[in-house]
Amino acid sequence: MYRKSKWKCGYDLAVLEHGNNEKSVPQLLISDLKFEKKSLAKLMFSPDQENHPSKAPVKYGELIVLGYNGSLPNGDRGRRKSRFALFKRPKANGVKPSTVHIACTPQAAKAISNKDQHSISYTLSRAQTVVVEYTHDSNTDMFQIGRSTESPIDFVVTDTVPGSQSNSDTQSVQSTISRFACRIICERNPPFTARIYAAGFDSSKNIFLGEKAAKWKTSDGQMDGLTTNGVLVMHPRNGFTEDSKPGVWREISVCGNVFSLRETRSAQQRGKMVENETNQLQDGSLIDLCGATLLWRTAEGLSRTPTVKHLEALRQEINAARPQCPVGFNTLAFPSMKRKDVVDEKQPWVYLNCGHVHGYHNWGNKEERDGKDRECPMCRSVGPYVPLWLGCEAGFYVDAGPPTHAFSPCGHVCSEKTTAYWSQIPLPHGTHTFHAACPFCAHQLAGEQGYIRLIFQGPLD
């Protein structure tokens, strides 16, 4: 399936220190490796295409939580997982607004809300509440996302802690994610449009916006409002492809209207309404719940995305080239994806300032540097020295390119265009700041670009 390409010339470690380039050892840029196109084409089909598509249920899309490399630290369990697929339900469960009850007393509002149907209550004052009843919609399916483990929540999301190795790492943090954060309504008929709305219905089928929540009456006499910490959405320009560019972050209201961001995340004053934008999700849309960010991938977009099989083929291709450590001359190899969190003795390590890849060694580890920065034996640059990890969550890739680059400072490896894309995406952090982060672990990116090109040394034989 594979064939080797020519190695590019590099420098011999022994003569580099003396400034003599007469001798050379082969160096490898992963981009030099060539794949058999027919073989890889078979691997590029999505899991749905590998089965019988006529028998498979209709998939609207998938939500993938940023900061996890293929699964939660302790494994995916039930509704709590790193990736959630939205399929067409056997029976429609969508709802749409119907009767509006204005100028209700709190007691009357409670009586209306207790009916066996969905409703949204807007508390204007202690003496006045507006209740909007919702009725069944046979043309849509509804999916709810939030921190609560109650039955109305389809996808349970907890706060993402950068680089967390266990679920206990996230439990000590006071959550800023709403128990019933948002809901996604999908059209049951083609083109299966998905739309997002802030807030979700609780176990009593109600949404309550209290006195302190931002709320208002619209120009057509309807009510609308925002949740405490808000639901933010960013649609990329040019879709989710190798040509993608970041869009503008917006806030989505309870009724699905689009607004510019508030001054701070929980400010009572709403932003300006953006008339020419909608709450319709597109491939690559990002949804931020103030504590966790989700990536929306459409079924069509996923069909063009690398699969786990494709990523495994890339891993085997790198290992088949037998890259070596320039110091110990031992062969390096990326561990299997099942061991993606365990440092292996053959694990490749990289100097983040220059991109030279080594095995683990103590060369240049001087005590005065406190073990944080190391000097590269190949070029003498000083900087962090970290293990490399393959990015195993295929949904984060914008193309099927070879894993030639790594994010800094975490060392997660993926294609050049994938690192370039995520390095320019400002992700919400806390209540009022934004920064670029690695999608595989949520670590804030560092350095001039936020990523580096990897330079491997080839075998001496």
Side-chain angles (χ1 to χ4, degrees):
M1 174 178 170
Y2 312 109
R3 64 173 183 270
K4 284 188 180 178
S5 62
K6 295 180 180 178
W7 297 92
K8 291 190 176 180
C9 283
Y11 297 100
D12 184 87
L13 173 64
V15 299
L16 186 69
E17 299 180 11
H18 301 91
N20 186 349
N21 296 338
E22 291 179 1
K23 296 182 180 180
S24 65
V25 294
Q27 275 190 328
L28 169 69
L29 299 178
I30 303 178
S31 55
D32 295 332
L33 297 174
K34 309 296 181 184
F35 284 92
E36 294 290 350
K37 292 184 179 179
K38 290 183 180 179
S39 299
L40 275 185
K42 294 179 181 178
L43 293 171
M44 279 298 294
F45 286 114
S46 71
D48 290 341
Q49 292 170 308
E50 291 169 3
N51 301 321
H52 300 288
S54 59
K55 297 180 181 180
V58 173
K59 179 190 281 189
Y60 298 127
E62 292 192 23
L63 290 167
I64 310 172
V65 187
L66 266 59
Y68 301 105
N69 197 14
S71 64
L72 295 180
N74 291 343
D76 293 339
R77 292 183 177 88
R79 292 174 293 153
R80 185 173 293 172
K81 58 186 78 174
S82 68
R83 187 169 182 157
F84 175 68
L86 283 67
F87 289 99
K88 185 175 182 178
R89 297 185 185 277
K91 185 178 179 181
N93 73 331
V95 294
K96 57 187 177 182
S98 60
T99 309
V100 179
H101 301 266
I102 302 175
C104 295
T105 63
Q107 292 77 16
K110 187 175 182 181
I112 295 169
S113 300
N114 280 341
K115 288 185 178 180
D116 188 25
Q117 66 183 78
H118 294 80
S119 66
I120 301 181
S121 300
Y122 301 86
T123 303
L124 304 180
S125 67
R126 292 184 179 180
Q128 186 178 9
T129 299
V130 175
V131 179
V132 180
E133 291 188 50
Y134 277 66
T135 187
H136 176 67
D137 184 358
S138 60
N139 296 316
T140 62
D141 286 334
M142 182 171 66
F143 303 87
Q144 300 207 136
I145 300 101
R147 177 170 49 88
S148 173
T149 57
E150 293 181 32
S151 58
I153 294 297
D154 298 287
F155 186 23
V156 179
V157 178
T158 55
D159 294 74
T160 301
V161 177
S164 60
Q165 295 299 312
S166 67
N167 291 338
S168 60
D169 294 339
T170 65
Q171 292 171 356
S172 60
V173 179
Q174 185 173 359
S175 180
T176 50
I177 299 174
S178 173
R179 295 174 65 245
F180 302 91
C182 68
R183 61 197 191 279
I184 293 176
I185 303 292
C186 298
E187 298 282 347
R188 289 174 61 86
N189 299 312
F192 306 114
T193 303
R195 292 182 173 85
I196 185 168
Y197 301 81
F201 295 98
D202 62 18
S203 297
S204 301
K205 299 183 179 181
N206 299 319
I207 294 174
F208 292 98
L209 292 182
E211 281 188 72
K212 295 183 180 180
K215 70 189 85 64
W216 60 91
K217 186 176 290 187
T218 62
S219 57
D220 58 356
Q222 301 297 314
M223 292 298 298
D224 201 356
L226 304 174
T227 54
T228 303
N229 289 328
V231 174
L232 308 187
V233 171
M234 191 273 282
H235 307 299
R237 291 183 286 122
N238 303 324
F240 194 69
T241 66
E242 55 190 57
D243 300 318
S244 295
K245 299 293 180 184
V248 179
W249 282 98
R250 304 295 193 194
E251 181 163 9
I252 305 297
S253 72
V254 172
C255 293
N257 292 309
V258 182
F259 295 85
S260 61
L261 302 187
R262 291 178 262 183
E263 283 193 14
T264 59
R265 194 72 189 244
S266 57
Q268 285 194 296
Q269 182 62 41
R270 70 179 187 271
K272 293 182 179 180
M273 189 170 182
V274 184
E275 300 280 357
N276 61 341
E277 296 183 21
T278 73
N279 62 337
Q280 182 175 325
L281 297 176
Q282 64 185 56
D283 192 35
S285 291
L286 289 170
I287 303 165
D288 187 79
L289 304 179
C290 195
T293 305
L294 315 179
L295 172 67
W296 169 257
R297 297 302 312 273
T298 63
E300 183 183 357
L302 287 170
S303 70
R304 300 189 300 266
T305 297
T307 63
V308 173
K309 286 184 179 180
H310 178 76
L311 299 182
E312 174 62 17
L314 293 173
R315 183 188 76 87
Q316 292 180 15
E317 171 71 8
I318 299 172
N319 292 348
R322 295 167 52 224
Q324 289 190 339
C325 173
V327 172
F329 299 109
N330 52 305
T331 300
L332 307 177
F334 281 98
S336 69
M337 293 190 179
K338 292 181 181 179
R339 295 175 55 84
K340 59 178 180 285
D341 297 320
V342 181
V343 177
D344 189 83
E345 61 179 356
K346 293 185 176 181
Q347 187 102 13
W349 287 62
V350 67
Y351 290 89
L352 290 176
N353 277 4
C354 58
H356 285 114
V357 178
H358 293 243
Y360 183 76
H361 57 73
N362 286 315
W363 199 97
N365 187 17
K366 298 180 181 179
E367 292 182 4
E368 59 267 24
R369 295 192 185 120
D370 197 26
K372 294 180 180 179
D373 288 336
R374 299 275 290 271
E375 183 180 77
C376 174
M378 301 295 287
C379 65
R380 299 295 195 179
S381 66
V382 176
Y385 178 58
V386 300
L388 291 174
W389 307 96
L390 279 177
C392 300
E393 178 48 75
F396 294 149
Y397 284 71
V398 299
D399 69 344
T404 56
H405 290 64
F407 286 107
S408 175
C410 58
H412 279 105
V413 180
C414 56
S415 69
E416 177 181 9
K417 290 184 176 178
T418 299
T419 54
Y421 175 72
W422 288 104
S423 67
Q424 60 184 336
I425 298 295
L427 297 172
H429 179 70
T431 57
H432 59 274
T433 59
F434 292 78
H435 63 225
C438 170
F440 301 104
C441 68
H443 269 300
Q444 182 176 352
L445 299 184
E448 193 172 324
Q449 289 184 306
Y451 62 93
I452 54 159
R453 185 183 67 165
L454 300 176
I455 304 172
F456 284 78
Q457 176 175 297
L460 295 173
D461 53 10

